[in-house]
């Protein structure tokens, strides 16, 4: 509605008559009527992404979700006139998809009852596998590391600590990770078996929050490229909330 309203004007007419509609053109010099494009207000992809990242760092996860999802809507309704801008929009879609998936997983983990330890550990592990920037992934790794160690999943805790230390090599948090890894390596077993293979190639279904291992049946949502279990075909995508999972579609087409 914001984009629609921004593309038109309402001009006052003579007293007693209705106002006159006028439409804002993106290309006022174009003379061919069939090539005229409407004005669509553009936003700064980088600025919007940074707003989402800032909310993520502030632990305002629900607000960050809305920023990333709103950016998907803006991209879907935008128009660009060069391949470079199209590629940037597609890359921003992927970033939004991964952050919405990761944040949704973490919010679901926080809502779990205290006695559902197995699912808590699984969701913490899946959060680390979403495509977050390294500076943000360390937060997911720290949660998975501490939750695993707390619940005596020492082999998993060691793995997450090792991944954490690949990104953050010094400082108090790195020192904590070093201690957890050292203690975990002395035992190197997991008390609770979870559905997580850190060395396997898999995607995470955004509806079930379960792994889709390579070779398993799956379907894709066309706008963002999110992958789902084949059983979820036809349902509304929880990433975009406006597209159908597995629907035949060409995906994003915004190049004029």
């Amino acid at each position: 509605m914001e984009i629609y309203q921004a593309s038109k004007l309402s001009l006052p007419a003579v007293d007693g008559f209705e106002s006159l509609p006028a439409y804002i053109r993106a290309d006022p010099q174009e003379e061919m009527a069939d090539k005229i494009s409407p004005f669509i207000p553009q936003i700064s992809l980088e600025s919007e992404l940074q707003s989402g990242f800032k909310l993520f760092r502030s632990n305002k996860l629900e607000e960050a979700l809305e920023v990333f999802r709103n950016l998907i809507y803006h991209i879907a309704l935008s128009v660009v006139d060069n391949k470079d801008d199209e590629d940037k929009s597609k890359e921003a879609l992927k970033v939004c998809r991964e952050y919405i998936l990761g944040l949704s997983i973490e919010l679901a983990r926080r809502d779990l009852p205290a006695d559902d330890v197995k699912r808590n550990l699984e969701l913490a592990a899946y959060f680390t596998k979403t495509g977050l920037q390294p500076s943000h992934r360390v937060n997911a790794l720290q949660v998975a590391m501490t939750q695993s160690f707390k619940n005596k999943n020492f082999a998993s805790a060691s793995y997450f600590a090792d991944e954490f230390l690949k990104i953050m090599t010094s400082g108090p948090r790195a020192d904590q990770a070093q201690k957890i890894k050292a203690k975990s390596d002395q035992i190197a077993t997991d008390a609770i078996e979870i559905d997580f293979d850190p060395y396997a190639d898999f995607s995470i279904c955004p509806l079930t929050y379960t792994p889709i291992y390579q070779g398993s049946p799956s379907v894709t949502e066309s706008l963002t490229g999110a992958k789902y279990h084949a059983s979820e075909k036809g349902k509304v995508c929880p990433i975009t909330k406006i597209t159908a999972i597995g629907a035949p579609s060409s995906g994003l087409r915004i190049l004029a």
Side-chain angles (χ1 to χ4, degrees):
M1 288 302 296
E2 290 174 358
I3 290 173
Y4 172 73
Q5 291 171 351
S7 68
K8 59 187 295 187
L9 297 172
S10 182
L11 306 176
V14 179
D15 288 347
F17 288 85
E18 294 182 357
S19 57
L20 304 174
Y23 298 92
I24 307 173
R25 293 173 49 173
D27 43 9
Q29 307 305 319
E30 179 60 59
E31 297 181 357
M32 301 295 291
D34 60 343
K35 293 185 178 181
I36 293 175
S37 300
F39 169 75
I40 297 179
Q42 301 296 312
I43 62 172
S44 169
L45 299 180
E46 182 62 28
S47 176
E48 289 300 304
L49 287 173
Q50 289 302 322
S51 295
F53 295 156
K54 183 178 180 180
L55 290 167
F56 177 95
R57 291 192 297 270
S58 301
N59 200 31
K60 298 178 180 178
L61 305 192
E62 293 91 346
E63 294 178 39
L65 268 177
E66 292 307 310
V67 169
F68 290 122
R69 187 169 287 122
N70 196 50
L71 183 52
I72 289 177
Y73 300 156
H74 274 281
I75 293 172
L77 294 172
S78 65
V79 176
V80 298
D81 56 10
N82 61 79
K83 187 67 167 56
D84 185 51
D85 284 343
E86 182 188 37
D87 290 342
K88 288 179 181 177
S89 296
K90 290 182 177 180
E91 182 59 32
L93 273 182
K94 292 180 182 178
V95 172
C96 291
R97 176 192 72 202
E98 292 302 303
Y99 273 80
I100 291 173
L101 174 59
L103 295 174
S104 299
I105 290 172
E106 174 60 8
L107 287 170
R109 186 191 71 82
R110 294 181 184 185
D111 283 342
L112 287 172
D115 60 352
D116 196 350
V117 178
K118 180 178 183 294
R119 188 58 172 160
N120 184 309
L121 294 173
E122 287 177 340
L123 293 181
Y126 300 153
F127 189 19
T128 70
K129 286 296 186 176
T130 55
L132 307 181
Q133 292 185 350
S135 60
H136 301 151
R137 184 170 180 251
V138 291
N139 295 333
L141 288 166
Q142 185 167 28
V143 170
M145 173 181 67
T146 54
Q147 287 295 318
S148 296
F149 187 77
K150 172 185 175 183
N151 291 285
K152 297 182 173 54
N153 269 29
F154 298 112
S156 295
S158 176
Y159 166 78
F160 293 125
D162 190 49
E163 291 293 300
F164 182 96
L165 291 166
K166 289 178 183 178
I167 302 172
M168 186 167 288
T169 57
S170 61
R173 295 170 70 188
D175 293 341
Q176 180 198 32
Q178 289 280 14
K179 292 177 182 178
I180 288 177
K181 178 169 173 57
K183 292 180 180 179
S184 297
D185 286 344
Q186 294 175 2
I187 304 174
T189 59
D190 283 346
I192 302 171
E193 183 178 354
I194 64 173
D195 185 8
F196 175 74
D197 183 348
Y199 306 106
D201 185 10
F202 66 87
S203 302
I204 302 166
C205 176
L207 257 177
T208 63
Y209 303 144
T210 54
I212 307 172
Y213 291 103
Q214 190 174 31
S216 301
S218 65
V219 290
T220 302
E221 183 275 318
S222 298
L223 180 58
T224 66
K227 185 180 289 188
Y228 292 83
H229 289 294
S231 58
E232 309 307 319
K233 183 176 181 179
K235 297 179 181 178
V236 175
C237 170
I239 299 292
T240 68
K241 294 191 174 182
I242 59 170
T243 52
I245 299 168
S249 169
S250 59
L252 186 69
R253 291 291 184 270
I254 59 173
L255 183 61

